[in-house]
Amino acid sequence: MTRRGLLFAAKLLVSAGLLAFLLHRVSLAPVLGRLADADAGLLLAAFLAFLLQMALTGLRYARVGDALGAPMGAATALRLVLVGHFLGQALPSAV
């Protein structure tokens, strides 16, 4: 394995260890209680607003790609936006 690969693996292990530590230390009961008390309509509205934001961002990236001479299509751009958003939320910024 290359040095770069080892560094990436070390970062992933540290990230996984930190997530495991946090999940072990945090009680999920209060979080689940708050979710049970939340207004389902507002949660649905927030989720739909998130989906709209991701769709518009994907369309924007597709248009930017077209303008730069690197067309990728709206579906591919949306997929890349969703993957990027997930990784941005799931991994620390240094990884």
Side-chain angles (χ1 to χ4, degrees):
M1 187 178 267
T2 66
R3 182 170 188 239
R4 186 174 181 193
L6 287 173
L7 183 60
F8 181 74
K11 288 179 180 181
L12 276 177
L13 284 174
V14 168
S15 296
L18 288 172
L19 286 173
F21 174 74
L22 288 175
L23 288 176
H24 176 69
R25 301 274 294 172
V26 172
S27 174
L28 292 179
V31 174
L32 295 176
R34 289 222 179 212
L35 280 176
D37 293 341
D39 183 355
L42 289 177
L43 287 176
L44 179 63
F47 182 69
L48 292 175
F50 167 76
L51 288 180
L52 178 64
Q53 175 191 2
M54 292 296 107
L56 291 174
T57 303
L59 289 174
R60 182 181 71 193
Y61 282 141
R63 293 198 61 188
V64 167
D66 290 343
L68 293 174
M72 68 179 88
T76 301
L78 177 60
R79 189 172 336 118
L80 291 173
V81 165
L82 291 174
V83 167
H85 185 74
F86 169 76
L87 292 175
Q89 294 297 313
L91 298 176
S93 62
V95 172

